[in-house]
């Protein structure tokens, strides 16, 4: 029938972070795969249903070798969700996507499960629930965030002492505080935190988002431009008011 | 040991080559030994601006690839005997520059010259990143308009991340050179004001070069603007900027701010 062309509800785009296991094979692959089999034999099902990233940084391999390696993984029921550090030339059709920008996690976080699995190597052992509550974190950036730079901090709040340039972006799991002019993008509560807020000393932003709800510069009230502003979420609407 | 300056901007056509030549000539004018290196392989212009286009035999790429000695490729300026040019190759592209080759050339030049000025190509790719790689000081050339300012901001971010100094945890000295400044248009709001640019980029200002026909005239006769007419407004602004680069503290005047009868009479000096 009649189709509503403009839908007031916008699509929510959210970020979510998972802890992936990274495998970094070394040459020759036969030896490395033998050691992998050895590990898998001692902890059955370790790779089952687990996101695995293949890190091939600095490995002198070509596309055929990578394809063969991926074949070896699928034979072992290890599903590779992404490839890190690969030259574009060795990636091809049907391969997992290239990933970049990954950050290392403390060894404890990764080691937690393998240790448990190795201790009770019987296949039916239930993996212990991981204590996911982490202490609240924040980072402070003491210089201007330049165009083209992005600060991504899913763990908590981001404070910038300086301006955020046009073409720069701040993505925080918690709130975003900018003691300067916000000309770029700010996304607060990026991994699902509706109580996160955005604060800035001077509002000139290109795009704002809280918990996946977006607002473009042109949707913002002109009275907020150039003013100190805070933004928060009420339901599915971004609210804004000037500070002081 | 000489100092390495990169003249960079991100955006093209803002005046990097003009400024490299003018600053180089101004520094050489006071007796310092100066070499200007053209990194714009494939689109070289510096030889034209310096009036040395008919004297190019060997170039930067020849030196990097070991086909010529550095001393064979250096061209001495006919007007100033302490001013030299190392031209880029016109028949090659930026891939001919190798990181180790550039490092060798810059190290060798630093031993002989007081100032090594690297004239960066536009963009943020190989040519531009290699030009800035070994710099001690960066001169960021910006026009007072939004696209140039944002590109400069991007370049400043790269200077803080991709230079040898930054990688060693030191800070590279960065200066803003505002070129093609037209006070009438800034007042009408057609151009960004000096304060707006400084607020966005937040790096120290080293000079404001007024928009002037003298710049075009100088490049047409193949002379750095500071040599073509040392008393023109842009030349005087470049001389002051060069003195600030060398460490002198001078007050900066915004061209055209001093209006009225004195401004008209002493217009040139006021600039």
């Amino acid at each position: 029938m009649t189709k509503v062309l403009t839908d007031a509800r916008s699509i929510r785009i959210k970020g979510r972070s998972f802890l992936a296991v990274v495998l970094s094979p070394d040459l020759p692959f036969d030896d490395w795969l033998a050691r992998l089999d050895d590990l898998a034999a001692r902890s059955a099902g370790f790779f089952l249903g687990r996101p695995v990233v293949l890190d091939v940084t600095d490995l002198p391999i070509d596309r055929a070798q990578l394809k063969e390696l991926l074949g070896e993984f699928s034979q072992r029921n290890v599903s590779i969700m992404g490839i890190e550090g690969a030259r574009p030339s060795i990636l091809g059709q049907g391969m997992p996507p290239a990933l970049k920008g990954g950050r290392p996690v403390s060894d404890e976080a990764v080691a937690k499960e393998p240790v448990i699995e190795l201790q009770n190597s019987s296949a039916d052992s239930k993996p212990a629930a991981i204590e996911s509550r982490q202490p609240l974190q924040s980072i402070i950036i003491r210089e201007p965030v330049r165009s083209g730079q992005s600060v991504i901090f899913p763990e908590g709040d981001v404070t910038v002492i300086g301006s955020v340039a046009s073409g720069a972006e701040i993505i925080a799991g918690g709130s975003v505080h900018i003691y300067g002019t916000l000309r770029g993008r700010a996304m607060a509560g990026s991994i699902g935190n509706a109580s996160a807020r955005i604060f800035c000393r001077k509002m000139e932003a290109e795009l704002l988002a809280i918990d996946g709800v977006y607002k473009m510069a042109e949707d913002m009230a002109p009275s907020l431009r150039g003013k100190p502003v805070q933004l928060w979420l009420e339901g599915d609407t971004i609210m804004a008011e000037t500070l002081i | 040991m000489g100092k390495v300056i990169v003249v960079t901007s991100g955006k093209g056509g803002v005046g990097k080559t003009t400024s490299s030549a003018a600053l180089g000539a101004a520094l050489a004018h006071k007796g310092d030994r100066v070499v200007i290196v053209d990194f714009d392989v494939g689109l070289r212009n510096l030889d034209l601006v310096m009036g040395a286009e008919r004297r190019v035999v060997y170039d930067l790429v020849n030196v990097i690839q070991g086909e010529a000695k550095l001393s064979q490729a250096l061209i001495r300026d006919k007007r100033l005997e302490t001013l030299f040019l190392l031209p880029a190759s016109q028949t090659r592209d930026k891939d001919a520059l190798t990181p180790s080759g550039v490092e060798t050339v810059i190290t060798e030049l630093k031993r002989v010259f007081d100032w090594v000025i690297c004239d960066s190509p536009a963009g943020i790719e190989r040519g531009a990143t290699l030009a800035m790689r070994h710099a001690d000081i960066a001169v960021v050339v910006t026009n007072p308009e939004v696209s140039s300012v944002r590109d400069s901001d991007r370049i400043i971010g790269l200077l803080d991340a991709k230079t040898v100094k930054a990688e060693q945890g030191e800070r590279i000295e960065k200066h803003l050179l505002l070129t093609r400044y037209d006070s009438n248009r800034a007042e009408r709001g057609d151009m960004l004001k000096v304060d707006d640019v400084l607020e966005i980029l937040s790096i120290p200002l080293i000079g404001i070069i007024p928009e002037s026909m003298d710049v075009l005239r100088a490049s047409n006769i193949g002379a750095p603007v500071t040599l073509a007419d040392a008393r023109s407004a842009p030349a005087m602004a470049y001389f002051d900027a060069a003195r600030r680069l060398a460490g002198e503290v001078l007050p900066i005047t915004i061209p055209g701010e001093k209006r009225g009868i004195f401004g008209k009479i002493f217009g040139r000096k006021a600039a």
Side-chain angles (χ1 to χ4, degrees):
Chain A
M1 300 288 272
T2 47
K3 202 176 163 196
V4 182
L5 287 175
T6 49
D7 194 333
R9 291 168 303 161
S10 55
I11 296 171
R12 270 198 167 190
I13 306 164
K14 289 190 182 183
R16 208 181 292 287
S17 73
F18 295 90
L19 195 60
V21 176
V22 178
L23 288 177
S24 316
D26 41 44
L27 293 168
F29 286 144
D30 290 346
D31 292 1
W32 185 83
L33 286 167
R35 281 180 308 196
L36 182 76
D37 289 338
D38 182 45
L39 173 74
R42 281 188 289 137
S43 60
F46 176 60
F47 292 108
L48 263 185
R50 189 189 279 272
V52 179
V53 171
L54 183 65
D55 182 2
V56 294
T57 312
D58 296 334
L59 274 187
I61 54 169
D62 57 25
R63 186 180 296 179
Q65 283 171 293
L66 181 63
K67 206 163 187 176
E68 200 185 311
L69 183 63
L70 289 169
E72 295 282 353
F73 281 121
S74 66
Q75 272 180 28
R76 289 165 174 78
N77 282 328
V78 178
S79 50
I80 304 291
M81 61 172 279
I83 301 179
E84 201 178 13
R87 299 184 307 279
S89 60
I90 66 169
L91 292 173
Q93 286 266 312
M95 287 195 190
L99 294 178
K100 56 182 179 182
R103 284 172 303 149
V105 181
S106 67
D107 284 344
E108 303 154 41
V110 184
K112 228 171 244 165
E113 280 197 88
V115 170
I116 295 161
E117 298 265 323
L118 286 173
Q119 278 167 352
N120 350 302
S121 53
S122 61
D124 58 348
S125 71
K126 284 231 172 76
I130 312 172
E131 183 57 60
S132 63
R133 183 144 310 278
Q134 288 171 339
L136 279 177
Q137 290 181 42
S138 64
I139 50 166
I140 296 178
I141 293 155
R142 290 163 209 279
E143 47 201 32
V145 182
R146 305 283 180 184
S147 185
Q149 295 178 331
S150 38
V151 176
I152 303 170
F153 189 68
E155 291 87 354
D157 287 10
V158 175
T159 305
V160 181
I161 306 172
S163 296
V164 176
S166 161
E169 62 183 8
I170 310 286
I171 302 173
S175 297
V176 177
H177 311 258
I178 293 153
Y179 292 92
T181 310
L182 170 57
R183 295 191 181 84
R185 305 170 160 198
M187 302 178 198
S190 66
I191 51 168
N193 178 1
S195 61
R197 293 191 176 208
I198 298 171
F199 305 85
C200 64
R201 186 176 270 177
K202 199 172 169 198
M203 167 62 69
E204 302 279 351
E206 291 164 352
L207 183 147
L208 296 156
I210 301 175
D211 190 20
V213 180
Y214 281 67
K215 206 174 175 107
M216 300 293 297
E218 47 212 46
D219 306 331
M220 278 176 256
S223 60
L224 297 175
R225 295 232 144 244
K227 300 274 168 34
V229 168
Q230 70 156 326
L231 301 115
W232 69 98
L233 203 58
E234 262 175 33
D236 273 356
T237 316
I238 292 186
M239 310 295 285
E241 68 174 21
T242 53
L243 291 162
I244 317 154
Chain B
M1 210 61 160
K3 284 246 169 93
V4 182
I5 302 176
V6 61
V7 178
T8 185
S9 72
K11 194 174 183 306
V14 295
K16 285 180 296 297
T17 301
T18 303
S19 299
S20 299
L23 290 174
L27 288 166
H29 192 75
K30 62 188 185 79
D32 290 357
R33 290 176 61 81
V34 180
V35 61
I36 314 178
V37 187
D38 192 348
F39 272 83
D40 207 346
V41 179
L43 288 170
R44 75 172 179 216
N45 282 147
L46 189 62
D47 53 331
L48 288 170
V49 173
M50 305 269 293
E53 69 275 16
R54 286 152 205 245
R55 299 169 61 208
V56 176
V57 182
Y58 293 111
D59 56 50
L60 177 62
V61 172
N62 293 138
V63 177
I64 283 177
Q65 298 187 338
E67 296 152 7
K69 279 191 237 148
L70 195 49
S71 53
Q72 291 175 297
L74 286 170
I75 303 170
R76 187 194 290 263
D77 189 84
K78 286 206 161 150
R79 294 147 294 207
L80 286 172
E81 62 169 19
T82 56
L83 180 61
F84 288 79
L85 161 70
L86 180 55
S89 173
Q90 183 70 352
T91 53
R92 311 295 291 270
D93 61 30
K94 268 89 177 167
D95 293 338
L97 297 173
T98 61
S100 61
V102 170
E103 187 180 355
T104 315
V105 170
I106 299 286
T107 313
E108 215 169 312
L109 289 173
K110 263 168 85 171
R111 258 207 306 273
V112 186
F113 290 93
D114 300 316
W115 301 98
V116 180
I117 299 179
C118 303
D119 180 21
S120 170
I124 53 172
E125 287 80 27
R126 191 184 185 88
T129 47
L130 280 175
M132 70 169 67
R133 182 101 189 109
H134 301 281
D136 302 301
I137 304 171
V139 172
V140 180
V141 182
T142 306
N143 290 167
E145 46 107 8
V146 280
S147 54
S148 171
V149 171
R150 185 163 73 181
D151 289 0
S152 294
D153 196 64
R154 179 93 169 94
I155 280 289
I156 296 169
L158 293 179
L159 286 166
D160 284 332
K162 298 233 166 146
T163 52
V164 172
K165 274 213 150 178
E167 282 169 9
Q168 289 169 348
E170 295 172 55
R171 290 198 71 85
I172 176 166
E173 211 180 290
K174 298 175 290 282
H175 299 281
L176 175 66
L177 183 67
L178 202 57
T179 53
R180 309 197 66 169
Y181 185 80
D182 186 329
S183 56
N184 292 323
R185 290 175 62 193
E187 240 160 66
R188 284 203 305 269
D190 300 346
M191 252 182 188
L192 289 176
K193 293 204 170 103
V194 177
D195 285 346
D196 297 338
V197 180
L198 285 176
E199 206 261 321
I200 295 174
L201 295 179
S202 51
I203 56 170
L205 181 64
I206 203 179
I208 304 170
I209 313 299
E211 172 80 318
S212 164
M213 282 303 289
D214 294 315
V215 175
L216 189 62
R217 212 171 293 138
S219 74
N220 281 341
I221 62 167
V225 64
T226 37
L227 293 184
D229 179 2
R231 296 216 319 222
S232 65
M236 286 169 59
Y238 274 121
F239 273 115
D240 280 357
R243 284 167 68 189
R244 290 185 195 103
L245 259 187
E248 275 185 63
V249 181
L250 300 166
I252 292 184
T253 46
I254 299 176
E257 291 274 285
K258 281 181 190 159
R259 285 285 190 69
I261 188 146
F262 284 103
K264 276 175 194 152
I265 296 172
F266 301 111
R268 293 198 150 167
K269 279 181 189 158

